Amino acid sequence: MHMKRRAIILLAVFFFLSISGLILVQVSWIEKAVAVTDQQFRYMANKALESVVLDLEKNEIIENIVEEIKPAETDSITVFVPADSPFARTLHENRNEAPAEKEAPADEMVAITSSGHKIFITAENIPPYSLGETGDPSPQVTRSEIQGRVTNKIIVLEDLMRKTLNNPPDIRDRIDFDSLQARLRAALNDVEIYLDFEFSVRSGRQGIIWQTPGFADKPETNRFIIQLFPNDPVPGHDQIVLYCLQENQYIFEKTGNLGAFSILFLFILIVLSTGTFIIIFRQKKISEIRNDFINNMTHELKTPISTISLASQMLLDKTIPEDDKNTEALSEIISDESQKLKQLAEKVLQIAILERTSMNFNMNYCNIHEIIDKAVNNFGLQIKSRQGKISKDFKAVNAVIKADETHMVNAISNLIDNAIKYSREKTDILISTINANEEFEITVADNGIGIHKNDINRIFEKFYRAPSGNIHNVRGVGLGLSYVRKVIEKHRGIIKVKSVPDKGTTFKIIIPQAEIK
């Protein structure tokens, strides 16, 4: 059972609505993936900047402490040990592991214990320790100094704080801009952002005090801004302003492959589904045309068969005298109706040929004028019934071409048949030939209703039928001209058409003749 056209259309609509929904879901997913990747990019970039700022602050604090604190004065206990004591001998054995102080005399050794105590080894006459003392000084010796050491540390830190509050250093003195650029590069690499970047350092009302050569402070730029030294007692207005070049490249690298594959598969799905429905509609149309063709063919076959049957009965009827039978006229009727049957059979053959992927051609040298004569003779009865005429103007001197005679006769017959069907009253057809530039030209011109300009480019399409205006009962399936073009192309030729509505149409066939000597 054939599927109804409405059901196919409804199925196609639902299918493409589903495809559209899938496309919308995929587009939404891609947009969300891009947004998430963009947020991830911003998070990682800010994280890299924060690490740089904290590193700068930490290094500055360490440098200030090293510069301000004097370990020998503020965080040490000096102990003199006799050179011949066991404890001195122990220190002497580990001399290479103990750091020496610059202030110690050349003939003395100094060592720092794990508790931070400074020990000088001297040869002065100091009462020796007992032989059993080989370790660090006892806790009782150092306990009295802890309070003073802690007090010294507090005083030093308070002094650093006071200097920072009273005399805040200029940002130019606190940052090495070249090393800052290297730090930023390393920090971005650590978070897998390998894009080139530009940055500047700005300070409050002073504005930009340093920038990379390519930095451009444009409003539409996606910038990252972070404060420098945020843990200062009085935070300043010093900031790093950074932006990455080709930021979209990062997003594309993260989401591009998934997005590209998604689009590719959607495209393939759309192409396959569209092609499937095109084939379904085409097969449906072919089925309808085949049914119409069978109906038309059945109708057209009835007339010649009935006529031939009637003429045969008259010839065989013995009750009719031989002189009254008019045998010659009846024979002519049978012959004409047989030609009609032959043409109908050719139409069936043409449909079978067009539905096959390939056409077999038996190419031989033949006289095209004789082929045209055969085609014209097939339409004698039709031209006579319309009181028309077919004129021939053979100007070609060399009429020999390499062609398949059967297919060429059918092609020219189709052109003549169209000229007859689409004429109003008296059909006037002119067929002419000429030799031109090693080519053979055949022209078939008529005085029919013509073809509208919008239809000329489509008349050679399979199953296409141009409107017949007020010409009624024009039967056909839209295969004739499609078959003609296919035959001419197999002969390495071309077919052209010119038409003026209400005046007529001219078809020109051009076939190469160069190889004919």
Side-chain angles (χ1 to χ4, degrees):
M1 182 176 179
H2 296 290
M3 185 180 293
K4 292 183 178 180
R5 186 178 185 86
R6 182 177 296 178
I8 296 176
I9 294 175
L10 189 61
L11 180 62
V13 169
F14 279 118
F15 184 83
F16 282 105
L17 285 176
S18 302
I19 292 292
S20 300
L22 180 60
I23 292 174
L24 291 176
V25 170
Q26 290 293 325
V27 170
S28 176
W29 177 84
I30 292 174
E31 288 178 350
K32 289 181 180 179
V34 170
V36 170
T37 305
D38 183 62
Q39 291 177 1
Q40 180 185 12
F41 173 78
R42 293 173 182 274
Y43 171 77
M44 300 306 290
N46 284 318
K47 183 179 179 181
L49 288 176
E50 289 176 4
S51 68
V52 171
V53 169
L54 292 176
D55 194 40
L56 286 173
E57 197 168 42
K58 181 181 69 175
N59 289 342
E60 185 185 56
I61 292 173
I62 293 174
E63 290 175 0
N64 289 339
I65 291 175
V66 170
E67 181 180 351
E68 296 294 333
I69 295 178
K70 297 179 180 179
E73 298 177 1
T74 62
D75 197 24
S76 297
I77 295 177
T78 302
V79 180
F80 291 92
V81 179
D84 58 349
S85 66
F87 181 57
R89 287 196 298 271
T90 302
L91 292 175
H92 181 72
E93 293 173 358
N94 299 323
R95 178 174 180 176
N96 293 333
E97 301 177 6
E101 290 289 333
K102 294 182 180 179
E103 294 85 354
D107 58 348
E108 294 180 346
M109 278 200 316
V110 67
I112 305 297
T113 68
S114 61
S115 301
H117 305 148
K118 182 184 291 184
I119 300 174
F120 284 94
I121 300 175
T122 177
E124 295 179 2
N125 187 16
I126 298 176
Y129 291 96
S130 64
L131 295 177
E133 297 184 77
T134 60
D136 287 349
S138 65
Q140 291 78 7
V141 177
T142 61
R143 189 177 295 112
S144 62
E145 301 297 331
I146 292 177
Q147 183 176 0
R149 185 167 68 250
V150 172
T151 301
N152 288 342
K153 285 184 177 181
I154 293 173
I155 292 173
V156 171
L157 293 176
E158 288 179 347
D159 185 57
L160 286 175
M161 185 70 71
R162 184 172 56 254
K163 288 181 180 180
T164 302
L165 289 171
N166 296 333
N167 299 307
D170 187 78
I171 190 65
R172 296 178 181 86
D173 298 328
R174 303 177 77 178
I175 295 179
D176 181 358
F177 296 110
D178 293 332
S179 65
L180 176 59
Q181 186 170 5
R183 289 176 185 270
L184 289 171
R185 177 73 278 166
L188 290 173
N189 289 346
D190 289 341
V191 294
E192 297 182 354
I193 297 178
Y194 304 105
L195 303 177
D196 294 332
F197 64 91
E198 302 289 346
F199 79 99
S200 67
V201 177
R202 63 186 184 187
S203 179
R205 296 181 179 179
Q206 299 181 42
I208 297 176
I209 60 176
W210 190 90
Q211 66 182 22
T212 53
F215 182 83
D217 193 7
K218 298 179 180 179
E220 66 274 8
T221 305
N222 187 15
R223 297 173 297 175
F224 299 92
I225 302 174
I226 191 168
Q227 182 180 352
L228 285 165
F229 303 103
N231 295 315
D232 281 355
V234 180
H237 300 285
D238 305 320
Q239 296 175 328
I240 295 177
V241 180
L242 178 143
Y243 64 87
C244 292
L245 303 176
Q246 299 176 340
E247 182 178 331
N248 292 334
Q249 178 182 342
Y250 175 88
I251 298 176
F252 179 78
E253 288 177 353
K254 296 295 183 181
T255 62
N257 291 336
L258 293 177
F261 280 116
S262 178
I263 293 172
L264 176 62
F265 289 132
L266 279 175
F267 177 76
I268 293 174
L269 181 60
I270 291 172
V271 170
L272 292 177
S273 59
T274 303
T276 300
F277 278 101
I278 288 175
I279 292 173
I280 291 174
F281 279 111
R282 182 169 293 176
Q283 291 299 321
K284 178 66 176 175
K285 187 174 182 180
I286 291 174
S287 178
E288 293 173 353
I289 290 173
R290 185 181 288 110
N291 292 334
D292 291 341
F293 176 78
I294 293 173
N295 294 332
N296 292 338
M297 189 64 64
T298 302
H299 177 78
E300 293 184 14
L301 284 171
K302 286 181 179 180
T303 301
I305 291 175
S306 298
T307 303
I308 292 173
S309 177
L310 181 60
S312 301
Q313 289 177 7
M314 291 182 66
L315 289 174
L316 295 174
D317 192 350
K318 295 181 179 181
T319 61
I320 301 175
E322 292 294 331
D323 296 337
D324 296 336
K325 286 184 178 180
N326 196 355
T327 305
E328 184 177 351
L330 291 175
S331 299
E332 185 177 351
I333 291 173
I334 293 173
S335 177
D336 291 339
E337 296 303 321
S338 297
Q339 289 295 329
K340 286 184 180 181
L341 290 175
K342 182 180 179 182
Q343 292 174 15
L344 293 174
E346 292 295 340
K347 288 182 180 180
V348 175
L349 179 62
Q350 289 172 19
I351 289 181
I353 289 173
L354 286 174
E355 289 184 346
R356 290 185 304 192
T357 57
S358 61
M359 296 172 61
N360 296 323
F361 283 77
N362 185 18
M363 308 295 283
N364 294 302
Y365 292 106
C366 53
N367 190 309
I368 192 64
H369 288 164
E370 295 178 359
I371 291 175
I372 295 173
D373 288 336
K374 288 182 179 180
V376 170
N377 293 335
N378 292 333
F379 295 91
L381 184 61
Q382 295 183 43
I383 291 295
K384 187 177 181 180
S385 64
R386 287 178 174 267
Q387 297 179 350
K389 64 176 180 177
I390 299 178
S391 305
K392 293 179 284 187
D393 183 16
F394 296 160
K395 294 182 179 179
V397 177
N398 182 8
V400 178
I401 64 170
K402 193 171 185 179
D404 182 290
E405 183 175 347
T406 301
H407 284 296
M408 189 59 71
V409 169
N410 292 337
I412 297 174
S413 296
N414 271 290
L415 296 179
I416 297 173
D417 185 51
N418 280 346
I420 295 173
K421 286 193 298 187
Y422 291 96
S423 60
R424 289 191 176 89
E425 296 177 354
K426 294 183 179 181
T427 303
D428 188 3
I429 301 173
L430 174 63
I431 302 176
S432 59
T433 62
I434 59 171
N435 297 113
N437 300 322
E438 298 184 337
E439 294 175 335
F440 192 90
E441 295 184 5
I442 306 169
T443 303
V444 180
D446 63 60
N447 63 340
I449 63 173
I451 304 172
H452 196 274
K453 184 178 180 180
N454 296 333
D455 297 318
I456 284 183
N457 294 329
R458 300 192 60 191
I459 59 174
F460 293 107
E461 293 180 9
K462 196 175 181 181
F463 305 120
Y464 182 79
R465 295 186 64 197
S468 57
N470 59 357
I471 303 298
H472 303 290
N473 297 323
V474 176
R475 299 183 181 275
V477 291
L479 292 173
L481 291 179
S482 177
Y483 170 80
V484 172
R485 184 176 67 174
K486 193 168 185 179
V487 169
I488 300 303
E489 288 177 350
K490 285 291 185 178
H491 288 78
R492 297 184 295 125
I494 58 174
I495 182 169
K496 300 179 180 179
V497 59
K498 292 182 180 180
S499 184
V500 179
D502 299 325
K503 290 188 177 180
T505 304
T506 301
F507 288 92
K508 180 182 286 187
I509 298 173
I510 303 174
I511 298 175
Q513 202 181 21
E515 58 187 47
I516 306 298
K517 300 297 183 182

